[in-house]
């Protein structure tokens, strides 16, 4: 859904998966996905929360790069790359 630009269905699917996830790595990946969705929706603060939650569960260079992109560059909104 996300790559097709269908953000609301992507959010619902990801939130449902996160609620059912039990492994930290899975939860981290789903938090990252929610961050990408929020970023694509122009919800910067929400995206930051999800990226930070993801990193708290599992350090990851890609997630850190997304977080850094939102915190170090004042230009917002920016269009999120798929």
């Amino acid at each position: 859904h996300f790559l097709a630009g269908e953000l609301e269905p992507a959010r619902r699917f990801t939130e449902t998966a996160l609620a059912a996830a039990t492994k930290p790595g899975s939860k981290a990946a789903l938090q990252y996905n929610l961050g990408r969705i929020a970023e694509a929706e122009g919800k910067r603060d929400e995206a930051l929360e999800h990226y930070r939650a993801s990193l708290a569960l599992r350090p990851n260079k890609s997630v850190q790069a997304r977080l850094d992109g939102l915190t170090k560059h004042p230009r917002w909104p920016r269009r999120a790359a798929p």
Side-chain angles (χ1 to χ4, degrees):
H1 294 288
F2 178 75
L3 294 178
E6 299 170 355
L7 301 179
E8 188 54 37
R11 176 182 290 282
R12 283 193 314 268
F13 177 83
T14 306
E15 288 173 343
T16 299
L18 180 59
T22 58
K23 296 180 181 177
S26 297
K27 290 180 181 183
L30 292 162
Q31 286 286 358
Y32 171 75
N33 291 346
L34 286 169
R36 294 295 310 276
I37 293 165
E39 191 175 347
E41 293 173 329
K43 298 177 181 177
R44 180 183 179 273
D45 291 341
E46 183 181 329
L48 291 170
E49 289 177 25
H50 288 298
Y51 292 149
R52 288 180 179 133
S54 177
L55 289 169
L57 291 163
R58 174 192 68 182
N60 181 282
K61 290 180 183 181
S62 296
V63 179
Q64 187 64 56
R66 298 300 303 189
L67 180 64
D68 291 347
L70 291 178
T71 58
K72 293 182 180 178
H73 302 291
R75 189 177 74 179
W76 181 261
R78 70 176 190 170
R79 187 166 198 272

